[in-house]
Structure formats: structure tokens, C-alpha cells
Amino acid sequence: MFGLRLPEIIFIAFVILLLFGGKKIPEMMKGLGKGVKSFKDGIGGIEDEADKEQKPVEGKKE
């Protein structure tokens, strides 16, 4: 994983824990999860609209 071994990953995790604290990290992850879900919902809406535009309307003769 990017040339990082276990000791480096543990050190990085420890520094992040020191900077943000144990209470703030779960709050940040919760916000990140909500953001990802919102992004996926938005992408799904765009795909649905694109599918509607590509389907021909029934009953309409060209």
C-alpha cells in the first residue's frame, strides 16, 4: 500500500489520533459517510435522468 509497512501505518494512525482526538474521529467518519452516500444518490439521479432522455416516448410517431 504505497510502500508503507505496518510500523509506518501505526505511526500515522497515532499522529492522527493525537491531532484530532478519539472523540472527533468518529464524527468526521460519520460526516464522510453521509457525504459519500449523498454523492452516490446524486450520481444515481443523473443516470436516471439520462436513461429517461434516451428512451423513446411511446405513442409518439416521428
Side-chain angles (χ1 to χ4, degrees):
M1 184 170 151
F2 305 114
L4 296 175
R5 293 174 291 172
L6 187 60
E8 288 91 4
I9 294 172
I10 291 173
F11 179 74
I12 292 169
F14 180 71
V15 169
I16 290 172
L17 183 62
L18 283 176
L19 289 174
F20 295 106
K23 198 171 190 179
K24 188 70 175 174
I25 293 174
E27 294 172 13
M28 291 183 342
M29 293 300 111
K30 184 178 179 182
L32 181 65
K34 285 182 180 180
V36 169
K37 184 178 185 300
S38 175
F39 179 76
K40 286 183 179 180
D41 290 344
I43 294 296
I46 292 171
E47 290 175 351
D48 291 342
E49 289 178 18
D51 289 341
K52 287 179 185 177
E53 290 178 7
Q54 290 178 355
K55 292 181 182 177
V57 178
E58 291 185 24
K60 183 178 179 183
K61 295 182 180 179
E62 293 183 26

